[in-house]
Amino acid sequence: MYNVRHINSDLLWIGASDHRLALFENVYPIPKGISYNSYLLLDDKTVLLDTVDSSVRQQFFENLQYGLNGRTLDYMIINHMEPDHCAEIESIVKKYPEVKIVCNMQTKKMIGQFFDFNITDDRFAIVKENDVLETGKHKLTFISAPMVHWPEVMMTYDTTDKILFSADAFGTFGALNGNIFADEVDFATEYLDEARRYYTNIVGKYGPQVQAVLKKASALEINMICPLHGFVWRHNFGTYLEKYNLWSSYTPEEKGVVIAYGSIYGNTYNTVSVLATKLAERGIKKIQMFDVSVTHPSYIIGKMFQYSTLVFAAPTYNAGIFVNMENLLHDIVAHNLQNRNIAVIDNGTWAATAGKQMKEELAKLKNCPIIEPSISVKSALKAEQLAELDTLADAVKSAL
Ligand code: FEO
C-alpha cells in the first residue's frame, strides 16, 4: 500500500525507510534504520527528485504511482548518483518512456558506468549551475555541490516555494517513523547524535566543500530543506545550519574530553579511568570514554567532532599500535579531523612503541597539538606514576 506524505500542496514525500539494514554503506551500524527520501513535484509537469535504494523499491513505486494519480512522469532530477538514491533510475526510464533525465554531465557519465540500459542523448536534459527548469508554476534551479558527498552532487532549489533539495547534506541516520518533519520530533534530544555521526562519517572529510555550499545556500531564501535521508526541515533550521558550519570548519561544538582507549587486560583502562576521575576532580563535566574494541569507530568519530580535547590510550601490540586503536586513528586521519588538543598514553610490558606510533599518526591532523606529558605505563599503573597523571590532568584542563 502507498505510504506518502504531503509536504505542501504541490510536493509529496514518496520515500521509504529500511529498518532491517545492519550496516549503511556496509560500514556504519544503523540500529535505528535509515530513510531514503524521494520527492514528487506535481506541477504542469511532473518531476521526480531522486529515487531510492533498491531495498525499498516496492514501496517507492507504489508511492510514485499513487502520487502521479494516472499522470505520466515528465522529469527525473538526479541530484546524487550513489546507489542508495539512484538504484531505480533504470526502472523509471523503462516504466516512463517519455521521462527526461535532468542531471549534469558527470552524472550522465556515472549512469553509463553503473547501468547497461540503452538511452539516447535526447532523453537527457543536461544542466549546470544556475540553469533553470520551468515546470509550470515552479522554476527549479541547480547548485553544484561537488564532494558533498560525491563529485557529481548537485542540489535543486525551487525558487517558487523556496525549497532546497539538499542531496546528502542535512541528512541523518535513522528511519522515519511516520514523522517526516524535524519539527514533529525532538530532534536535538533524539536525533542530533545520529545526525552528527552521519555527517562526520559520510561527509566529514570534505569540510571545505561543505563550507562552499553553505556559502552558496546563505545567498538563498530558504523556507524548507528536503534532504535525501532523514527529516524535512521547515522551521528553525538555523541551529542545524550552525552545527553544519561548526562540523565543516572542524570547530568543536563544546569543551569536553573524549577518551578512546584500547585495553587487553584492563590495565590501560585502569589508567584512563584514573585520569577521568582526576579530570572530574578538576571540574570537567563533559567526559566521554570509549573502548575501541567494542565501540564502532563511527560513534567515536562523531563525538570527537563534537568535543574539543581528545585522549588516546593503547597498548603496544605486535610491535605496533593495538589493532582497534590503529583502525580508529586511521579513520580519524581519513576524516580530516582538525583543531583539537590531544593527549597520548601508551602501555607496554616490553619494547613499548605504541605512543610514538600514535603520535606519528596523529601528527597528520592539522592544528592538533599534543598535550604533554605523554604517559607510558609499564604493564600496570603504579602509585609513583599518579603524579604524572595529575600533571597531565592539569594540562588537559588548561588546554580546554
Ligand atoms: Fe545517501 Fe552519498 O548517498
Side-chain angles (χ1 to χ4, degrees), residues 91-248:
S91 301
I92 291 285
V93 165
K94 288 179 173 164
K95 196 172 165 78
Y96 301 98
E98 306 87 19
V99 73
K100 270 212 184 284
I101 299 176
V102 181
C103 66
N104 58 41
M105 278 307 292
Q106 216 164 358
T107 293
K108 182 170 184 271
K109 185 168 170 241
M110 286 185 181
I111 291 173
Q113 291 174 202
F114 274 108
F115 296 98
D116 288 322
F117 62 90
N118 287 321
I119 184 163
T120 52
D121 278 354
D122 63 348
R123 299 285 301 279
F124 285 93
I126 300 297
V127 295
K128 55 188 184 317
E129 186 155 76
N130 296 328
D131 282 356
V132 175
L133 175 69
E134 293 197 32
T135 61
K137 185 178 121 188
H138 293 262
K139 285 190 178 64
L140 307 178
T141 187
F142 306 98
I143 299 158
S144 75
M147 301 319 298
V148 187
H149 134 240
W150 277 16
E152 87 298 352
V153 171
M154 66 180 193
M155 297 181 181
T156 299
Y157 178 61
D158 179 348
T159 62
T160 308
D161 284 341
K162 319 290 186 207
I163 297 176
L164 182 66
F165 296 90
S166 61
D168 275 341
F170 306 112
T172 180
F173 290 139
L176 297 176
N177 304 310
N179 297 312
I180 70 159
F181 297 103
D183 54 274
E184 293 180 320
V185 297
D186 186 345
F187 186 84
T189 304
E190 294 180 14
Y191 290 93
L192 181 57
D193 270 351
E194 282 296 81
R196 183 188 300 104
R197 188 167 70 91
Y198 167 86
Y199 171 85
T200 55
N201 286 279
I202 304 297
V203 199
K205 180 180 178 67
Y206 305 111
Q209 291 88 342
V210 175
Q211 285 275 307
V213 170
L214 289 176
K215 197 169 167 200
K216 289 182 194 177
S218 69
L220 303 173
E221 184 184 347
I222 297 175
N223 290 336
M224 220 181 291
I225 296 176
C226 293
L228 287 175
H229 301 285
F231 296 98
V232 172
W233 288 81
R234 56 185 175 182
H235 302 301
N236 303 326
F237 43 79
T239 311
Y240 198 30
L241 279 172
E242 181 52 24
K243 293 288 184 199
Y244 260 67
N245 189 36
L246 294 172
W247 298 337
S248 57

Side-chain angles (χ1 to χ4, degrees), residues 24 80 82 84-85 149 168 229:
F24 183 72
H80 186 13
E82 192 162 8
D84 55 333
H85 309 294
H149 134 240
D168 275 341
H229 301 285

Side-chain angles (χ1 to χ4, degrees), residues 42-107:
L42 299 167
D43 200 358
D44 292 348
K45 300 289 186 185
T46 57
V47 185
L48 175 67
L49 292 115
D50 293 294
T51 71
V52 293
D53 187 85
S54 57
S55 61
V56 295
R57 70 184 307 274
Q58 183 173 338
Q59 181 71 72
F60 165 71
F61 278 106
E62 287 181 30
N63 291 351
L64 177 60
Q65 187 173 355
Y66 167 82
L68 287 172
N69 192 22
R71 298 177 67 184
T72 190
L73 183 64
D74 297 303
Y75 294 109
M76 170 170 56
I77 296 175
I78 303 174
N79 285 313
H80 186 13
M81 261 306 288
E82 192 162 8
D84 55 333
H85 309 294
C86 77
E88 295 308 317
I89 64 175
E90 177 172 4
S91 301
I92 291 285
V93 165
K94 288 179 173 164
K95 196 172 165 78
Y96 301 98
E98 306 87 19
V99 73
K100 270 212 184 284
I101 299 176
V102 181
C103 66
N104 58 41
M105 278 307 292
Q106 216 164 358
T107 293

